[in-house]
Amino acid sequence: MAPMHMNAPHPSERNELAAALWTMRREFAVCTVFTIVVNVLMLTPTLYMLQVFDRVMISQSELTLFAVTAVMLFFLALMAFAEWSRARLLVRVGVKLDAGLNPRVFRAGYLSALGQGGGRAAEALSDLTSIRQFMTGNGLFAFMDAPWTPIYIAVLFMLHPWLGALAVLFSVLLTALAWLSHRLSHAPIEAAMLAGTRAGDDMQGVLRNAEVVEAMGMLGNLRRLWLVRHRHYLGLNWRATDIGARVQAMTKFLRYTQQSLALGAGALLVIEGQLSPGEMIATNVLISRATQPLDLMVASWKPFLGACGAYRRLAALLGQFPAHVPAVVEEPLRGHLEVSELTASAPGRERPVLDRISVDFPAGLTTGITGPSGSGKSTLARALVGIWPGVEGRVTLDGTAIGHFDRDWLGPRIGYLPQDIELFEGSIAENVARFGAVDADKVIRACQRTGVHDMILRLPKGYDTQVGDAGTFLSGGQRQRIGLARALYGDPVVVVLDEPNSNLDDTGDAALMRAMQDMKDAGCTVFVVSHRSGILGIADRMLVLSDGRIQHYGARAELMSATRRQPLPEHATVQHS
């Protein structure tokens, strides 16, 4: 692969992945030294055969045989040590590469998943694994040993020109076969991998929504759709496998033909007196050794293509989500948010979800956000906490762009409750504490503020109750109230609630109102996205979105006066409670 070449561009001109590989150039240089030692000592069996056939057999000297054998064993042991050291060094390089890039790859994949959904972090880590496995496998050894093929061919030319020409012929044939393998298999392999991923995603979607599928009898229809993609994948995979099998068969034919013809050519030269019997045997070994890297390259072509594809995807992902130096904040946050010319887009959508929005949210106020469905309310909520990647413009928190903060530092100071509540497998206490160090006092305080403390105590194991994967052991209302407690854990400065009462009953709604009032009294900057007038009645200011733009923004009393003169769009009417 290109990034492993020593003659690479200046580090400032490389992508992040290539730069990470470039930092290991010293290890690759040492590995190259070991490769030189291995390939030079590969001549040991050839020289041993020459000595045995052309000197020992003629002299009948046992002492010479013992001496030559001892030297041969020493050099073979040295070759084995160099081979082991090379393999061990590449394993260490692979581990070092993984350890150095793993956090960045995970973060970039995670940010990609925020905007596109799906398991991009898992796919990115899988790509990193593919690169590491290729670097530590036989495929890379083949590419490192390939430059020695001309040297072995030169030795064969020294023995006899016909032998060198024969080695050149088979080297050209194997190189052409490698090129043909790439030409024929590249597209089918890429298509098969993509089709397999799509079929797997379909199956995962069915499993994630098993209850809905079973309840409404959708399994048969979804299975037919999955089967179409699965059969398409099988067809592409069969084609790619068939091409690989044909290439392997041709490679085996060339290898056996080469060995036989080399032996026959050597025998002919011995008959004509141009070669000794020892040189004839050595010739066969040298030709096999000269073409072995090319043979191994053909066998390793599929993993090589996979590693190249993984490298391209990973380099593009890291380039799309570059690392940044987080802002250093010494003063406590006040919670003043300002949005400037914010435009938010979504994949597959021509018009922006939010179109050049500019608005100022003073610290300590509660803002209600409403508007018709699809007007961009949830997108604005995500942009305010810095988790919507497809944005232009600025969202600043106390004058600092929210994307410049260290998320590990900022996260505990922000509370966020999305529409779709996602709890993680673990206990209620761990979920409320955001899977950090569980502070029992803070957990209980957050749950008491949201009115869920008594409900938790009625559960079999209280705060130690396991919620199951994605909170499946809890009802929708319980998940929402625990999600609200998680948002309030640690007294955050900014809290964004997206439809916080969509699954709540009257008791939960009353608890939510008390929590809202408590946050308001504490001077927390709160944003509430909702269509319900009751919860919006506690807001200091109201923002009404329509078609991605701000239609109304101001004090709630002023907005109510304006709406009496000009009604709001459907589903966006705000009533005083």
Side-chain angles (χ1 to χ4, degrees), residues 380-412:
L380 177 59
R382 293 169 183 167
L384 289 176
V385 294
I387 60 173
W388 189 267
V391 296
E392 298 177 3
R394 284 171 58 86
V395 177
T396 62
L397 175 58
D398 290 352
T400 302
I402 199 163
H404 291 171
F405 284 99
D406 181 356
R407 296 305 303 199
D408 291 336
W409 180 87
L410 181 63

Side-chain angles (χ1 to χ4, degrees), residues 203 206 210 212-226:
M203 177 57 70
V206 172
V212 175
V213 171
E214 183 68 15
M216 294 192 288
M218 299 166 59
L219 182 60
N221 297 332
L222 292 173
R223 183 181 180 276
R224 280 191 291 273
L225 293 174
W226 170 80

Side-chain angles (χ1 to χ4, degrees), residues 195 199 202 225-236:
D202 285 351
L225 293 174
W226 170 80
L227 196 58
V228 169
R229 286 193 171 180
H230 183 64
R231 286 174 175 168
H232 178 60
Y233 159 70
L234 289 178
L236 293 173

Side-chain angles (χ1 to χ4, degrees), residues 392-450:
E392 298 177 3
R394 284 171 58 86
V395 177
T396 62
L397 175 58
D398 290 352
T400 302
I402 199 163
H404 291 171
F405 284 99
D406 181 356
R407 296 305 303 199
D408 291 336
W409 180 87
L410 181 63
R413 293 160 176 80
I414 286 183
Y416 176 57
L417 180 70
Q419 283 190 38
D420 300 322
I421 309 299
E422 286 289 346
L423 300 181
F424 301 92
E425 189 167 0
S427 68
I428 291 177
E430 289 173 325
N431 273 274
V432 173
R434 308 182 184 187
F435 283 85
V438 177
D439 187 321
D441 293 336
K442 291 183 179 180
V443 170
I444 293 174
R445 168 172 163 75
C447 293
Q448 287 175 336
R449 293 176 71 186
T450 58

Side-chain angles (χ1 to χ4, degrees), residues 495-516:
V495 176
V496 179
L497 309 176
D498 193 354
E499 299 288 354
N501 53 356
S502 57
N503 294 313
L504 299 183
D505 54 16
D506 291 341
T507 302
D509 214 22
L512 174 62
M513 293 295 293
R514 289 194 296 272
M516 292 276 299

